[in-house]
Amino acid sequence: MERNLKGMMTKMDVRNQIVMSQVMMPHHANALGIVHGGEVMKFMDTAAAAVAMRYAKADCVTARVDEMNFHFPVHVGDLVVCTASIVYVGRTSIEVLVTVNSENLKSEENAKVALSAYFTMVCIDENGQPQQVKPYTPQTDDEKTLYERAKAYIDRKKALRK
């Protein structure tokens, strides 16, 4: 089940968002100089966990990653900027939208969205059991839009499980 990520919003409460960046190096890539998808996915997972843990003030682990679509390859030397934003919070889970922008630092071109995905993070206690997360109330119009999209998607997922 794919979610529409076109026209994504950017006006978010910075307390519910983390931005991480890194220049891609040869050890991240294959022999052609194209960064392994798994390297980018690992970076995305780290960002998703960081924003979820900051929000929950507890450990969070990845429970699900929705479909990832790679729009174009990321190359050695590119600056990769990973933005992880909380878009929905359930009883024990936190839905995080992660967007990856890639920029060739030697080019005049602007950064482009290389890929994006939703990560479902589960908050866990010291025994590794799911624990309740504080409620989330979107504040900005953009947060409200992303929240409604996420809620509709989660409701559809739940309906399919029945």
Side-chain angles (χ1 to χ4, degrees):
M1 198 180 311
E2 188 178 334
R3 290 197 240 187
N4 179 5
L5 299 177
K6 301 252 187 235
M8 291 186 333
M9 312 300 169
T10 58
K11 293 182 183 174
M12 305 284 294
D13 183 334
V14 294
R15 294 170 296 180
N16 298 327
Q17 188 175 71
I18 282 186
V19 179
M20 298 170 58
S21 60
Q22 167 176 352
V23 173
M24 295 290 102
M25 304 302 282
H27 68 274
H28 296 125
N30 62 24
L32 300 174
I34 298 171
V35 175
H36 293 290
E39 291 286 344
V40 179
M41 291 165 57
K42 179 181 174 185
F43 193 36
M44 294 172 78
D45 189 51
T46 300
V51 74
M53 290 187 325
R54 181 168 69 185
Y55 179 84
K57 302 297 185 217
D59 289 327
C60 293
V61 296
T62 307
R64 177 185 171 98
V65 180
D66 282 359
E67 181 178 321
M68 286 190 188
N69 290 309
F70 290 80
H71 305 298
F72 63 89
V74 176
H75 294 93
V76 169
D78 286 355
L79 175 65
V80 172
V81 179
C82 195
T83 304
S85 306
I86 292 173
V87 295
Y88 184 86
V89 173
R91 193 178 66 76
T92 62
S93 65
I94 301 171
E95 194 80 2
V96 179
L97 171 61
V98 183
T99 304
V100 176
N101 287 297
S102 180
E103 178 182 357
N104 179 333
L105 296 173
K106 297 177 184 175
S107 167
E108 294 295 326
E109 288 184 34
N110 292 328
K112 302 183 286 188
V113 176
L115 70 149
S116 55
Y118 284 86
F119 284 68
T120 303
M121 310 302 291
V122 174
C123 183
I124 58 171
D125 64 19
E126 59 279 346
N127 298 316
Q129 298 301 308
Q131 76 174 27
Q132 194 162 345
V133 183
K134 68 182 177 184
Y136 169 70
T137 305
Q139 300 298 313
T140 69
D141 288 341
D142 294 343
E143 288 174 344
K144 291 173 185 173
T145 298
L146 288 170
Y147 176 88
E148 289 304 320
R149 285 186 195 173
K151 183 173 182 344
Y153 178 76
I154 290 165
D155 291 345
R156 283 193 308 274
K157 276 194 313 191
K158 286 179 182 177
L160 288 175
R161 285 188 288 211
K162 291 182 181 182

